[in-house]
Amino acid sequence: MSEGSEVTLDSVKERTGGRSARVRQSVLDAARAELLEGGYGSMSHASVARRAGVDRATVYRRWPSKARLAMDSLVGLADNSVAFPDRGPVESDLREMATSVAKLLETPSISHLFQALIAAQAEDPSLREVGAGFWKERLEIGAHIVTAAVDRGEIDPVEDPAHVLEVMISPLYFRALISCQEIDQAFIDDSVDRAVAMLAFPG
Amino acid sequence: MSEGSEVTLDSVKERTGGRSARVRQSVLDAARAELLEGGYGSMSHASVARRAGVDRATVYRRWPSKARLAMDSLVGLADNSVAFPDRGPVESDLREMATSVAKLLETPSISHLFQALIAAQAEDPSLREVGAGFWKERLEIGAHIVTAAVDRGEIDPVEDPAHVLEVMISPLYFRALISCQEIDQAFIDDSVDRAVAMLAFPG
DNA sequence: ACAGAAACGCGACATTTGTGGCATTAGTGG
DNA sequence: CCACTAATGCCACAAATGTCGCGTTTCTGT
């Protein structure tokens, strides 16, 4: 009766602390650095392992595919480069955010990160839901600009705040990552104006 | 005086017809087929060469990088799967186009093509202008829907017709290729409505 | 039809990428 | 502190990727 045999069945056998955690972190950091520098194409298990100071086989064992490695290194990356102001009038808050996004997208290294995210999703369809969660969360945070304005009583309640943000930034990402067109100030302003219009006429 | 020595200086030495043209075409076709089936990640010089029935070295000599090969195979690809109607009311024309784009984007093989285009631009920055031309032309064609409506006298002249189309389809591409969110009918309708609003209130 | 040259096929080779076995190290639970 | 074992490092090896030289084919201009 005092047998503990079945207890070992659900005992945790996977190691999460100590060296394993250290290795995992350095590999993830190294992968992110590789993506920042050369983009998805130039990143490899070998280059990441070298930079992280671990063996090549270790990286292969933990992340069998390059796509998963890239995704793991990017998800959870708290990017504080984007401004999420919620004090001024909504319009200026939105304008400030759109501007910071545009500026971020024209930074080659940052652009590499987003392209890596896309490439990873393209190579491994099972990663699409991970990426979906990443963007969902990101838009929710951005939607705070709108909800804050509602709370201040500045504007009427909005049905889907995240959708407003999505519409505002979509053209920016489209031009930066897909159609490779220049993003000038007029384009940013237009995006902001359209978002503001959505708040004024929620039809 | 009758010397033709300097004529040979600017004589065309590159061969464009016969076998060379045949090889080029079969390789490009093979590359496109590879991209359709497995996407950018699974395409390789070897797989393309095998499918095209040419030697591996031949592909390497003509297209030193995978990115250029992919881009070459995609540019000039006249896609007749997208509807460009210009008869009905603008709103229905736009709705029809947005719907066909959305349907196209949820087709995995087609999605592979766009992702390959993005990946190629990401790997080789010099290809960004090529891709830019591809999209510029594509949007110009789509803008025909708007200009036709103007010509019919249905709506007032629009400053930048292509921009209207760009704003309409950006969220579709954003969800399909970047944020990996589902594109439902309401989302399509909203995109169309916003485009129509841009025509009504060109502010 | 003919000569010159560009493009191709073929094969050898170096490098990179990916996998498995095995001894050693170092967390984990007792 | 000790036994157990997951995780790592190291090595060997197979497969894929990329490059080069050379003989042959075939395009192009005369």
Side-chain angles (χ1 to χ4, degrees), chain A residues 13-15 20 23 55 58 61-62:
Chain A
K13 300 195 170 189
E14 202 171 79
R15 298 186 175 174
S20 293
V23 166
D55 194 77
T58 300
R61 275 190 284 256
R62 289 240 214 174

Side-chain angles (χ1 to χ4, degrees), chain A residues 84-145:
Chain A
F84 290 119
D86 56 351
R87 327 187 194 294
V90 210
E91 180 169 347
S92 71
D93 283 349
L94 290 174
R95 192 174 311 277
E96 192 171 334
M97 183 198 174
T99 303
S100 64
V101 167
K103 196 163 291 296
L104 211 66
L105 285 175
E106 73 182 4
T107 305
S109 58
I110 303 291
S111 175
H112 284 166
L113 257 41
F114 286 111
Q115 286 161 345
L117 203 72
I118 298 175
Q121 290 168 347
E123 273 194 38
D124 187 345
S126 73
L127 291 178
R128 288 177 63 87
E129 44 191 300
V130 182
F134 172 84
W135 286 101
K136 193 168 175 56
E137 179 186 352
R138 183 167 269 260
L139 281 178
E140 291 295 339
I141 296 176
H144 188 62
I145 293 179

Side-chain angles (χ1 to χ4, degrees), chain A residues 58-80:
Chain A
T58 300
V59 184
Y60 275 110
R61 275 190 284 256
R62 289 240 214 174
W63 297 274
S65 84
K66 180 175 161 181
R68 288 198 167 276
L69 174 55
M71 182 62 81
D72 268 18
S73 73
L74 294 179
V75 164
L77 177 61
D79 189 355
N80 49 3

Side-chain angles (χ1 to χ4, degrees), chain B residues 13-15 20 55 58 61-62:
Chain B
K13 301 195 169 191
E14 202 170 82
R15 298 184 175 176
S20 293
D55 194 77
T58 299
R61 274 190 284 256
R62 290 242 215 169

